[in-house]
Every structure is written in C-alpha cells, then in structure tokens.
C-alpha cells in the first residue's frame, strides 16, 4: 500500500538504496538488497489467525456433539464423521489450483476468496437447523471446507513474505495458533450451546443459535479482511525474500516447482512423516466424542473439555517451538524430538484412557496435545528450509495434502476398529503409524537452504565506496547479469552438492564485483 505511514520509518540511507534498486531493471546489485520490517505485519498475521480460527471452529463443531447431531438429523455416526472429513476430502483435489492461484494473484486474493466461502458456509448452515435438512448443513459445511483450502497452507508463506529472518518461525506459529484456537473453541462451545435435550424443537433452536453466532463472527472478520488485509510489504523483510521475488519474477514455473519438490528426497520424507502425525491428530479430534462417551457415558461436556485441553496444550507447544526455532535454528533435531514425544504421549493416552478416571485423561490428553499439535508449525518451517527458494505455499500445500489423505484413512479405519474391537485397539493402530513416522523423520537430511541464502547474502555486502558506485555504470548489462546470477543461485540451492554450494555462490559474487 503506497503512502503507508510505516514507510516513513525508513532511514535516509535506506531511502537512497530503494531508489537505486528501482532504477535497476531486475532489482539486483553487487551489494545486498534493501530490506525493511513494517509494524503492520503483526496486524496482518493476527487478522489471518482470526479468519483461520473462524474456519477451524466449524471443522469440529459437529464431531464433538456427534451423538446429538445423529439424533437430530436421524443419521448414523459414520455420516456425521463425514461432516469433519469433508474438510480433508475437499483439500486433496483443490490444493494444486489454489496454490497456483496463490502464486499468481497473491495473499490478498486468497484471503478474500477464503473469507467469502467461509462466510457463505456459515449462513447456509443457519438455514439447515431442521431435522429434514441434513443435505443443507452438508452443503454449508462443504463451502467452509473449500474455504479451508485457501487457509491451511498460508502461515509459512505469510511469515516469509512479511517477517524478518529471526521472526519467521514465531510468525508461522502465530498463524497456526489461530487455527488451533478455532479447534479449541470448536471443542468447548458446541457442547455448551447445544445440550442433549429430548425435545426436537428446542434442540433445533439451540443448533440454530450456534449457527448464528459463527455466521456473525465470520461476517465481521470478512469485512475486516476486505478493509485491512494487504498483499505484501513494498520492501521485502529478508535477503532470502528479496532474492525470491527476483527469481520468481523472471523464470518461475509452477509445474517445474512442483516437480522439483517431488524430486526432493528430504522433503518427500517430511511429507510422509507430517501426514502420519497430523493425520493421527485429525482422527483423534474427529472421533474424540465417541472415544470418551464409550468409556464415560453422558460426559459430552467433558469430551469437549478434553479436546480443548489437547488444543490449548498444543497452542503452547506451537509457540514454544516457534520461539525455539527462531533462537536455535535446530529444525531437524527439534522436529525429531517433538515427534518422539508425540509417540510417547499417544502411548500414555492410549493405555490410561480406560482407567476410569477423567482427571487422568485430561493430563495425558494435554501431554499428547502439547507435542502432537505443537508439531504443526515445525513441519511448515522445516519444509520451507528444505525447499527454498520454492514457494512456501506450494510446499505447505503438499504437506497438508498428505495430512488430509492420512486423516481420512485413519479416521475411517480407526472408527471401524473402535466399533468392532474397542477404543484401545483403535488407538494402538495410530501408535504404530506414529512409530513409523518417527523412524522416517530420523532419516530426513537437514539441508537448511533458506538459512544458507540469508548467510550468503551477508557476503554480498560491499564496502561504502562500492555502494556509492553510480547506477549508470551498470547499464543495460546489469539486468542480464542479475538474471543469470539469480538463476544460478536458484539452481545451486536446488540441485548442486551442498558442500560446494556456498563456495560457488561466493565465487560468482566476486566475479560480479570484479566486472
């Protein structure tokens, strides 16, 4: 947004730097590119968290009162489970066109589409509070599920576009935090608003009131997004983001990017491990009401509170992990440790659920949630590191696509196992796959490409005398050399041996300066 007051904070020297960059066709010089952090970045990330919250709340609002929804609409439990699984199913076919849309039209466009769909879904559901209108509530939930495709993979992209190198993991955690808070509210509020009463008319009023609240909140957030949400800052926040803008503006191909990601072995291992972990979380969340009611009849309200405990603990885990990554940059080690503790937490939860003490379930569920839900931003940020300079939205989209596929499979299979052999066997089923995911995570090679790009940018810093070189001396050939150098950096980060990559880039920089 030109004319934004935040740009007035730029120092005079930086202002000159910006002018120099504007005069060069490709925005690349022998020196490091100008960067700046805008205060409004916090408004953007919290606004994103708000509409992510609104959408995530709707994902679980049926599942946590599944026994009541079954009675009201006269459908079986598997059909009610699909009101949650429709979120996972919608993601799989639409993620690729949505990530293409994100790359072509940017964050603001995807934010507007997401909120339009989310708002429409909530109002459609307002009209579905009758026992014979289950298809209407499914239609409304489908619209909200489609909106989720425009939301779920955004946190890492938004963090990279708006935040500094020492803030990206924290910002990504805040973006995921909104989604988790929405799930937490989805666990807590529906059991409070929709009690298990026998009178159908009274129950319809409670359900309608719940729908009105979510519709009002979604509409308010939609208006804020239209007014406030911005595409990107005028000046990039980091050297890696500045390089990315140049490379994507010259030779970026969406299909080529997808192919490079699919050929990245470390990233594909992360895709599988992430899918196993997050898919397990989706299954637990969807089937939580059935698990608790099976062992503790009549405890619908406490089932919601246990879900709330899982997510609140996970929100704390997400923020702590994000701060830890910004401080230490130990992506592989942190991801592996959190994965191991997710497995341990699942084992403890599994073998204590049947003890007959709800307070024990609260504690074990909290431990499970701290690590399993805390893993979400770790996966996003580790993926960005492994795949730089590829689009953050594309890498996150592939991660979430894996999670949705595993989530659908795990929810269906675990639900059938619970029906036939009980909750214990169903949870052991998930433990086995979490163990597999832990082993896979251990084999991921830690290749932190984004960190290397930021470090190599420091090498590009020239002496004060060099920085005063007139722009006209570069002439028309500056554009050509900039394009070649940026393309070479892109190829180096994706294809060459990591041990010689830094040396090759530095030699290229020195040649540029000698010229």
């Amino acid at each position: 947004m030109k004319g934004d007051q935040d740009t007035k904070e730029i120092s005079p020297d930086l202002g000159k730097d910006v002018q120099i960059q504007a005069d060069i066709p490709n925005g690349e010089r022998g020196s490091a590119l100008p960067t700046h952090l805008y205060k409004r970045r916090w408004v953007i990330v919290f606004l994103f968290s708000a509409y992510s919250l609104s959408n995530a709340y709707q994902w679980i609002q049926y599942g946590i009162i599944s026994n009541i929804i079954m009675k009201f609409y006269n459908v079986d439990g598997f059909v009610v489970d699909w009101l949650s699984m429709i979120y996972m199913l919608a993601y799989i076919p639409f993620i690729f066109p949505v990530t293409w849309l994100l790359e072509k039209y940017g964050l603001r466009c995807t934010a507007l589409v997401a909120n339009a769909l989310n708002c429409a879904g909530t109002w459609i559901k307002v009209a579905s509070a009758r026992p014979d209108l289950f298809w209407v509530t499914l239609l409304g939930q489908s619209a909200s599920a489609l909106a989720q495709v425009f939301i779920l993979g955004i946190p890492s992209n938004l963090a990279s576009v708006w935040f500094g190198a020492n803030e990206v993991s924290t910002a990504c955690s805040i973006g995921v935090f909104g989604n988790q808070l929405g799930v937490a509210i989805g666990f807590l509020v529906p059991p409070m608003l929709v009690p298990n009463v026998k009178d159908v008319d009274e129950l319809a009023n409670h359900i309608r009131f719940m729908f009105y609240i979510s519709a009002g909140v979604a509409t308010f957030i939609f208006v804020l997004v239209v007014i406030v949400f911005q595409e990107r800052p005028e000046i990039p926040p980091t050297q890696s983001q500045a390089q990315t803008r140049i490379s994507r503006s010259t030779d970026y191909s969406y299909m080529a990017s997808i192919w490079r990601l699919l050929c990245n072995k470390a990233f594909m291992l992360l895709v599988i491990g992430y899918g196993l972990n997050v898919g397990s979380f989706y299954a637990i969340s969807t089937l939580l009401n059935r698990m608790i009611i099976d062992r503790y009849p009549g405890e619908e309200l406490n089932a919601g509170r246990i879900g709330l405990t899982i997510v609140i603990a996970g929100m704390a885990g997400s923020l702590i992990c994000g701060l830890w990554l910004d401080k230490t940059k130990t992506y592989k080690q942190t991801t592996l440790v959190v994965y191991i503790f997710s497995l341990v937490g699942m084992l403890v939860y599994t073998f204590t659920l049947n003890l007959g003490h709800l307070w024990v379930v609260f504690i074990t569920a909290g431990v499970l949630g701290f690590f399993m839900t805390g893993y979400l931003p770790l996966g996003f940020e580790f993926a960005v590191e492994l795949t730089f300079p590829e689009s953050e939205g594309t890498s996150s989209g592939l991660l979430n696509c894996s999670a949705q596929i595993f989530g659908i499979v795990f929810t269906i299979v675990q639900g059938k196992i619970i029906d036939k052999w009980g909750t214990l066997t169903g949870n052991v089923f998930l433990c086995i796959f979490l163990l597999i995911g832990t082993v896979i995570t251990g084999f991921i090679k830690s290749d932190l490409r984004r960190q290397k790009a930021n470090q190599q940018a420091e090498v590009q810093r020239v002496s004060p005398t060099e920085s005063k070189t007139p722009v006209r001396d570069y002439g028309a050939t500056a554009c050509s050399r900039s394009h070649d150098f940026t393309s070479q950096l892109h190829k180096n980060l994706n294809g060459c041996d990591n041990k010689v990559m830094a040396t090759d880039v530095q030699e290229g920089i020195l040649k540029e300066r000698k010229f």
Side-chain angles (χ1 to χ4, degrees), residues 303-348:
R305 290 169 179 167
I306 290 170
L308 174 68
T309 302
I310 291 174
V311 181
I312 292 294
M315 289 159 58
S318 294
L319 289 177
I320 291 172
C321 290
L323 292 169
W324 175 258
L325 285 184
D326 279 333
K327 183 177 179 61
T328 65
K329 309 301 181 185
T330 54
Y331 291 87
K332 164 69 179 293
Q333 299 91 323
T334 305
T335 301
L336 181 58
V337 168
V338 170
Y339 214 122
I340 291 172
F341 278 104
S342 296
L343 171 61
V344 173
M346 187 65 201
L347 287 168
V348 174

Side-chain angles (χ1 to χ4, degrees), residues 239 406 411 462 508:
Q239 290 297 319
F406 281 113
T411 302
V462 296

Side-chain angles (χ1 to χ4, degrees), residues 35-67:
T35 60
H36 181 66
L37 292 176
Y38 293 82
K39 291 180 180 179
R40 64 179 178 272
R41 68 191 186 278
W42 298 108
V43 176
I44 299 297
V45 73
F46 280 111
L47 184 55
F48 166 79
S49 293
Y51 71 77
S52 179
L53 178 155
S54 172
N55 183 262
Y57 163 81
Q58 297 175 70
W59 166 54
I60 206 65
Q61 71 177 151
Y62 293 100
I64 199 58
I65 53 172
S66 60
N67 58 320

Side-chain angles (χ1 to χ4, degrees), residues 352-380:
T352 58
L353 183 61
N354 297 333
L355 293 181
H357 302 290
L358 269 175
W359 65 270
V360 175
V361 179
F362 273 96
I363 294 174
T364 57
V367 173
L368 173 64
F370 182 88
F371 294 105
M372 183 173 280
T373 314
Y375 174 81
L376 297 175
L378 292 179
F380 283 153

Side-chain angles (χ1 to χ4, degrees), residues 82-94:
W82 270 109
L83 289 171
S84 294
M85 288 192 291
I86 190 66
Y87 264 62
M88 308 174 206
L89 183 64
Y91 197 90
I92 298 168
F94 288 105

Side-chain angles (χ1 to χ4, degrees), residues 45-317:
V45 73
F46 280 111
L47 184 55
F48 166 79
S49 293
Y51 71 77
S52 179
L53 178 155
S54 172
N55 183 262
Y57 163 81
Q58 297 175 70
W59 166 54
I60 206 65
Q61 71 177 151
Y62 293 100
I64 199 58
I65 53 172
S66 60
N67 58 320
I68 299 174
I69 298 298
M70 288 166 57
K71 180 177 67 175
F72 181 73
Y73 287 111
N74 193 27
V75 294
D76 61 32
F78 184 68
V79 173
V80 175
D81 290 343
W82 270 109
L83 289 171
S84 294
M85 288 192 291
I86 190 66
Y87 264 62
M88 308 174 206
L89 183 64
Y91 197 90
I92 298 168
F94 288 105
I95 180 55
F96 292 107
V98 168
T99 52
W100 175 84
L101 189 71
L102 173 64
E103 289 307 305
K104 188 167 182 66
Y105 296 104
L107 284 169
R108 178 171 170 81
C109 176
T110 55
L112 292 174
V113 175
N115 280 273
L117 288 169
N118 190 57
C119 187
T122 59
W123 284 107
I124 291 172
K125 284 187 277 189
V126 167
S128 71
R130 274 174 35 191
D132 59 332
L133 294 179
F134 180 81
W135 67 273
V136 177
T137 209
L138 180 60
L139 178 63
Q141 187 75 340
S142 299
S144 298
L146 187 57
Q148 178 226 207
V149 186
F150 292 83
I151 297 172
L152 210 55
I154 297 300
S156 58
N157 183 282
L158 187 148
S160 295
V161 168
W162 279 95
F163 286 82
N166 294 324
E167 301 173 330
V168 286
S169 296
T170 302
C172 182
S173 297
I174 294 173
V176 175
F177 181 94
N179 188 275
Q180 295 172 343
L181 183 59
V183 176
I185 296 173
F187 278 125
L188 179 66
V189 173
M192 298 171 61
L193 295 179
V194 185
N196 192 0
V197 296
K198 294 182 178 180
D199 185 76
V200 175
D201 292 334
E202 182 182 355
L203 187 56
N205 289 332
H206 289 302
I207 292 174
R208 187 178 296 108
F209 180 65
M210 176 180 70
F211 289 154
Y212 267 121
I213 291 177
S214 57
V217 171
T219 304
F220 175 71
I221 294 173
F222 186 18
V223 173
L224 286 180
V225 168
V226 171
I227 297 172
V228 176
F229 201 88
Q230 186 176 334
E231 169 62 30
R232 69 180 187 180
E234 293 179 26
I235 303 173
T238 61
Q239 290 297 319
S240 61
Q241 184 62 210
Q243 294 170 11
T244 299
R245 286 192 186 184
I246 296 171
S247 64
R248 291 180 189 168
S249 66
T250 56
D251 59 358
Y252 181 76
S253 168
Y254 178 70
M255 294 308 298
S257 176
I258 292 288
W259 179 250
R260 286 192 296 268
L261 290 175
L262 294 177
C263 293
N264 186 326
K265 293 181 180 179
F267 174 67
M268 292 312 297
L269 287 175
L270 179 62
V271 166
I272 297 172
Y274 184 91
L276 291 171
N277 189 300
V278 180
S280 298
F281 169 70
Y282 289 161
I284 292 169
S285 300
T286 303
L287 301 172
L288 184 63
N289 177 271
R290 291 169 61 182
M291 293 182 192
I292 300 301
I293 297 301
D294 179 57
R295 305 306 306 174
Y296 305 92
E299 294 288 354
E300 291 92 353
L301 194 56
N302 275 322
R305 290 169 179 167
I306 290 170
L308 174 68
T309 302
I310 291 174
V311 181
I312 292 294
M315 289 159 58

